[in-house]
Amino acid sequence: MRSFDVVILGGGAGAKMIWGSVPGGSVAVIESGLVGGHCPFFACVPSKAMLQTAATWRLAAHGQFTDLFTGGVSARQAYDQAVRRRDRLVHDRDDSAGAAALAETGATLVRGHGRIARPGVVTVDGEEIGYRDLVLNTGSTPTVPDDIPGLDDIAAWTSEHAMSTAEYPDSLVIVGGGPVGCEMAYLFAAFGCTVTLVQRASRLIPREEPEASQQMADTLEGLGVQVALSTTASEVQTQEGRTRVLLDTEYSVAADTLLFATGRTPATTDIGLDTLGVVPDERGFLPTDEHCRVTGTDNVWAIGDAAGPAPFTHTAHYQGRVVAANLAGRPVRTDYRALPRTVYTDPTFASVGHTEASARQAGTEPVIATAAVSDTVRATIDGTTQGWLKLIADPHTGTLLGATATGGRAEEWISELSQALRSEIPITDTTDVIHPFPTFSEELEGALWKLAPRF
Ligand SMILES: Cc1cc2nc3c(=O)[nH]c(=O)nc-3n(C[C@H](O)[C@H](O)[C@H](O)COP(=O)(O)OP(=O)(O)OC[C@H]3O[C@@H](n4cnc5c(N)ncnc54)[C@H](O)[C@@H]3O)c2cc1C
Ligand SMILES: NC(=O)c1ccc[n+]([C@@H]2O[C@H](COP(=O)([O-])OP(=O)(O)OC[C@H]3O[C@@H](n4cnc5c(N)ncnc54)[C@H](O)[C@@H]3O)[C@@H](O)[C@H]2O)c1
């Protein structure tokens, strides 16, 4: 039997933080799909690539830049170009570069579906492989409702299909208004598709600030998306080659394609957890302690979408680094206070830490300050004035509890706030940071200078 010091089950985002970081130890990565997981091939990279092409193409619609464009590219042609660019960037879903990077570190790639056979042993296609430490990194799969009559008769899309097909739906119904639903609605509407977005909750991206949900709805509606809130799909019918989606209101929508963006489920079934006595929580996440060690075990770790608490690639990277440190004998603990959240529509959305509501739920009446993208000179220069920043501070400690921002490349400079939050930097000190002129990051000064006199 081949045996390794560390076996990583699933070669997704966090695995690469570990596979080259076990000094003097042998590592095997078991992967049933593509090395790198969903992010580089079916999720983050292809979606951001298409959103970038959409944003570039839409510049032509902006009065200040229209004359710079030679014109003549239809929405459909722009979509086709976006697909070609996307497929180039994701290497046509070929993972040989990732596999080569893995091999260069001296780690061993085992292709196939892995399953824990008993403590210390996993099996892959009948072969037993021994481990000292096991890292569960099996990711997640799209959640599709199984209680909608008629669904079995149509080929509904998930984001994975949308991000790997060249098909162009003239009309699209998207069910689910979280980050995936909003990004998909933005990009297909930007390329001229008729999009209806059906969201069960009373607002889009419902865990975020209500102002952000409203801005998201305004952005999408501005592109022509029909946003149906507090609504769900109750039945699906096929009519003359089209799909008719009956809603639980009195309405129905006909479209070429139906796309589900109704969340993701941790891939924690069918991996033999029972042999270790490990039981996922009610949402399917693996229970872990603050070192990412699976609760009740000494030598089993869990990272990424399978572990929670927030399914982002940067969460998986972070947890991979935490596990690598622990495997190297440094007992590093996770701290999720400053975990950023993003949605890459235009304007983009970025947040970190508490919202106003969650701070109150946690028992703090927060101090709040806001600023607008349009306050910066960079906004005038770039001709983009949409967006704002909202800061939430702790009245007792004078430190940041959270921030939400839209527009103005907030996804880049939000990390400055993450640092302040994570390191509990007094707000009175943050006002001493000098931002380069003219940048969007100067918006931070506006809000922080409003907060500082309160402490
Ligand atoms: C459309 C979309 C856009 C997104 N955009 C962003 C973004 O912009 N930024 C961001 O931070 N996050 C984004 N995300 C979330 C991000 O994709 C995930 O959080 C990330 O991919 C999780 O990585 P992971 O390694 O945990 O899981 P995965 O990427 O799912 O990787 C798990 C791997 O394990 C393998 N595997 C599973 N079970 C087994 C088994 N038993 N044996 C062998 N192999 C197995 C799978 O084949 C897979 O390759 C997006 C998600 C979607 C759906
Ligand atoms: N930019 C990014 O970083 C990025 C982009 C996309 C996704 N992601 C990650 O992927 C994860 C999954 O995203 P998601 O948007 O699929 O999931 P989600 O759970 O965040 O949102 C799903 C939404 O669908 C709605 N919904 C669920 N069932 C429904 C139904 N039957 N009818 C109507 N609406 C329904 C819910 O109200 C919810 O708001 C996110 O949590 C996020 O972390 C990140």
Side-chain angles (χ1 to χ4, degrees), residues 175-180 183 199-201 206-207 231-232 261-263 311-312 342 344:
V175 180
V180 172
E183 288 187 352
Q199 163 68 324
R200 185 167 59 194
R207 289 184 288 262
T231 304
T232 189
T262 40
F312 292 101
T342 45
Y344 295 94

Side-chain angles (χ1 to χ4, degrees), residues 273-298:
L273 287 176
D274 50 322
T275 62
L276 301 180
V278 172
V279 181
D281 74 11
E282 65 287 352
R283 290 179 303 161
F285 290 115
L286 294 163
T288 50
D289 67 11
E290 54 200 350
H291 301 286
C292 295
R293 189 185 275 110
V294 173
T295 315
T297 71
D298 291 331

Side-chain angles (χ1 to χ4, degrees), residues 85-97:
R85 178 169 183 271
R86 174 198 74 195
D87 289 347
R88 244 188 351 264
L89 289 179
V90 306
H91 309 290
D92 290 312
R93 289 163 286 283
D94 172 350
D95 70 350
S96 41

Side-chain angles (χ1 to χ4, degrees), residues 48 189 289 296 360 440:
K48 266 79 268 179
D289 67 11
R360 286 212 178 91
F440 287 116

Side-chain angles (χ1 to χ4, degrees), residues 10 12-13 31-33 37-38 44 48 112-114 138-140 304-305 311-314:
E31 174 54 60
S32 57
H38 287 98
C44 326
K48 266 79 268 179
H113 180 87
T138 48
S140 63
D305 283 11
F312 292 101
T313 294
H314 46 260

Side-chain angles (χ1 to χ4, degrees), residues 145 147-149 173 175 198 231-236 245-248 258 260:
D147 55 353
I148 301 180
V173 174
V175 180
V198 176
T231 304
T232 189
S234 54
E235 190 178 335
V236 177
V245 182
L246 277 54
L247 305 176
D248 61 352
L258 172 62
F260 282 102

